[in-house]
Amino acid sequence: MTTLTFDASTEPALSGRHLTVRLGESAVLSGVHVEVRPGEVVALLGPSGAGKSTLLRVLAGELAPSGGVVRLGPSEVTAQPLWRRARAGLGYLPQTPSVLFDLTVADNLRTFARLCGAAELEPGERLARVGLEPKLLGLRARELSGGERRRLELLRVLLPRPKVMLLDEPLGGLDPGLAERVGRVLREEADRGAAVLVADHRVVETLGFADRAALLLDGRIELWASPAEFLDHPAVQARYLG
């Protein structure tokens, strides 16, 4: 089992080098380099179909790359499955649903807490952190709205306090106020030392809590920039937002 030990000043918590994914004759990712350090939020931005979800799946261990290397801290984990990376301190929020639909919200939280060995807290305390009402505790997960389910899925990721967080569209289905609240939660996780990589289509909101931003186009990272520089960069205007 991989043990994560990081030197925040020198060593990325998560890195991918020369990552390539080919589907038949098409390259979904082409030699991508990415890294996230403890204490920072990196925004992975780009149009639909650029390869953002594919990159997160490779980093999480859900999809094997055609080439390249993935590391958690100093340890290479390219061949390790998602569950081993999770035990090593990685939390992953996919786009696809990741709650237990037939269980109540309260039972979802209790089940996930027991599975990951998280400290016992009242379920209502957990809900409040992401703006969910205690009245939802008795509802089955399938009865939640899309935005409510998304925040429950985020709580699932947060329960073990992962060292690395990969989040695919965490702001999906949220109104602006709730998106800002979730952004604050993710910023808090980075401030406690987690490395956070977020892919989302809500550019302005995501940049609002990020330290760095990467522009992914056609399976390649074309730009690294600060949030302040990202929106006005000519490449972003010409090939993404424009």
Side-chain angles (χ1 to χ4, degrees):
M1 184 184 302
T2 303
T3 300
L4 296 184
T5 56
F6 305 130
D7 179 343
S9 64
T10 62
E11 188 170 31
L14 171 73
S15 65
R17 293 286 183 269
H18 308 290
L19 293 177
T20 299
V21 173
R22 301 194 65 85
L23 297 177
E25 297 299 315
S26 300
V28 182
L29 296 178
S30 301
V32 170
H33 298 260
V34 64
E35 66 179 36
V36 193
R37 295 180 179 274
E40 77 168 347
V41 178
V42 171
L44 180 65
L45 304 171
S48 296
K52 301 186 299 296
S53 294
T54 299
L55 178 55
L56 290 186
R57 291 180 66 203
V58 168
L59 294 171
E62 191 176 52
L63 176 68
S66 306
V69 174
V70 179
R71 291 184 180 277
L72 280 173
S75 303
E76 182 180 343
V77 295
T78 313
Q80 289 191 5
L82 191 155
W83 67 269
R84 282 197 177 275
R85 300 185 202 192
R87 287 189 176 182
L90 185 144
Y92 173 48
L93 176 69
Q95 277 189 308
T96 52
S98 56
V99 292
L100 302 171
F101 280 98
D102 289 333
L103 295 186
T104 65
V105 170
D107 285 340
N108 262 276
L109 291 173
R110 292 190 185 101
T111 299
F112 289 127
R114 288 168 186 158
L115 285 173
C116 66
E120 285 294 329
L121 289 177
E122 285 299 319
E125 294 180 57
R126 299 191 189 279
L127 294 187
R129 191 177 184 203
V130 294
L132 289 170
E133 297 291 333
K135 65 183 181 182
L136 299 176
L137 287 170
L139 292 182
R140 297 189 184 279
R142 64 168 174 264
E143 299 175 276
L144 301 177
S145 70
E148 290 167 344
R149 192 199 77 219
R150 201 62 179 151
R151 283 174 284 160
L152 177 59
E153 289 166 343
L154 177 60
L155 284 177
R156 174 192 62 76
V157 177
L158 294 173
L159 283 172
R161 305 203 68 149
K163 295 180 176 71
V164 176
M165 298 176 65
L166 304 175
L167 306 161
D168 198 348
E169 302 286 351
L171 308 184
L174 305 184
D175 65 38
L178 289 172
E180 182 180 357
R181 185 168 191 156
V182 167
R184 287 199 304 269
V185 169
L186 298 179
R187 182 70 259 169
E188 290 167 2
E189 290 299 305
D191 290 343
R192 71 163 178 82
V196 183
L197 179 60
V198 180
D200 210 283
H201 70 281
R202 296 173 70 159
V203 176
V204 174
E205 290 97 327
T206 306
L207 291 174
F209 59 89
D211 298 292
R212 293 189 294 143
L215 175 64
L216 187 67
L217 294 171
D218 299 324
R220 299 178 183 272
I221 291 184
E222 300 291 344
L223 168 71
W224 284 96
S226 71
E229 297 168 335
F230 187 87
L231 289 176
D232 294 327
H233 196 282
V236 175
Q237 290 295 325
R239 302 185 62 191
Y240 180 25
L241 300 180

